[in-house]
Amino acid sequence: MTADATLTLCQADYAKPLHMQALLDLLDGYARDPMGGAEPLSDFAKANLPQALAARPFMFSVLAFDLTGLPVGLVNCVEGFSTFACQPLVNVHDVVVLASHRGQRVAEQMLALVTQLARVRGACKLTLEVLEGNMPAQKLYRRLGFENYQLDPAMGQAQFMQKWL
């Protein structure tokens, strides 16, 4: 656990009810935001996410609490594997900061803890995706050293794609 003058940061304990309630509340708020799809989490996700996360050792989350104990930030991460480097990598899957706490470097502090935890796991890099229209997040990520992914500039930058099953 780390703390600065205004925040307490920790790796979420998926077995701890306080942490899981914070995670679910923050994630639901993010899902309801236009940047998260503008739909609340399903009842299924709310009911099953705590156990599903706890069952997956390749998942970890970071939480931020303000001085009053209010959960104000969340980062969900998924450990993957780089075959080229033959090392783990960590994908930053969700970054959530309450609207009331944006612009206060909450995400920056959480991502610093994510970086520390990724290094402990032996990860060679962090990856993430960000919406084209989310300019504040893009500015933050670039300031923290993230760049668009490319191998050969002649081949262009990678694009994030999905296919629902």
Side-chain angles (χ1 to χ4, degrees):
M1 187 176 303
T2 63
D4 76 358
T6 60
L7 291 177
T8 299
L9 304 174
C10 65
Q11 182 173 346
D13 179 344
Y14 297 142
K16 192 172 184 180
L18 174 71
H19 284 192
M20 284 315 304
Q21 191 60 58
L23 187 148
L24 289 170
D25 290 347
L26 288 162
L27 194 60
D28 185 55
Y30 176 49
R32 291 170 186 267
D33 186 272
M35 291 293 179
E39 295 286 332
L41 286 181
S42 69
D43 290 339
F44 175 83
K46 289 177 187 175
N48 293 287
L49 193 56
Q51 298 82 5
L53 289 171
R56 289 169 170 78
F58 52 85
M59 297 286 305
F60 69 94
S61 303
V62 167
L63 290 166
F65 296 89
D66 73 6
L67 291 175
T68 69
L70 176 73
V72 298
L74 164 69
V75 178
N76 286 321
C77 299
V78 183
E79 183 180 306
F81 190 76
S82 169
T83 53
F84 284 10
C86 191
Q87 291 179 273
L89 61 83
V90 170
N91 178 258
V92 175
H93 189 65
D94 303 302
V95 178
V96 182
V97 176
L98 283 185
S100 60
H101 287 71
R102 291 182 188 150
Q104 299 177 32
R105 299 192 180 246
V106 175
E108 180 177 340
Q109 292 177 61
M110 290 189 300
L111 288 168
L113 181 52
V114 166
T115 299
Q116 291 174 9
L117 295 170
R119 286 187 173 127
V120 168
R121 289 171 172 256
C124 62
K125 66 179 175 178
L126 297 177
T127 63
L128 57 77
E129 64 265 9
V130 60
L131 294 174
E132 247 181 316
N134 193 344
M135 299 312 290
Q138 287 187 45
K139 184 178 176 183
L140 167 68
Y141 300 146
R142 289 188 196 293
R143 187 165 45 82
L144 296 180
F146 287 88
E147 300 173 345
N148 289 340
Y149 177 79
Q150 67 180 14
L151 295 172
D152 178 348
M155 294 303 297
Q157 297 174 355
Q159 295 181 5
F160 183 74
M161 302 173 80
Q162 71 178 8
K163 177 183 174 180
W164 287 101
L165 302 177

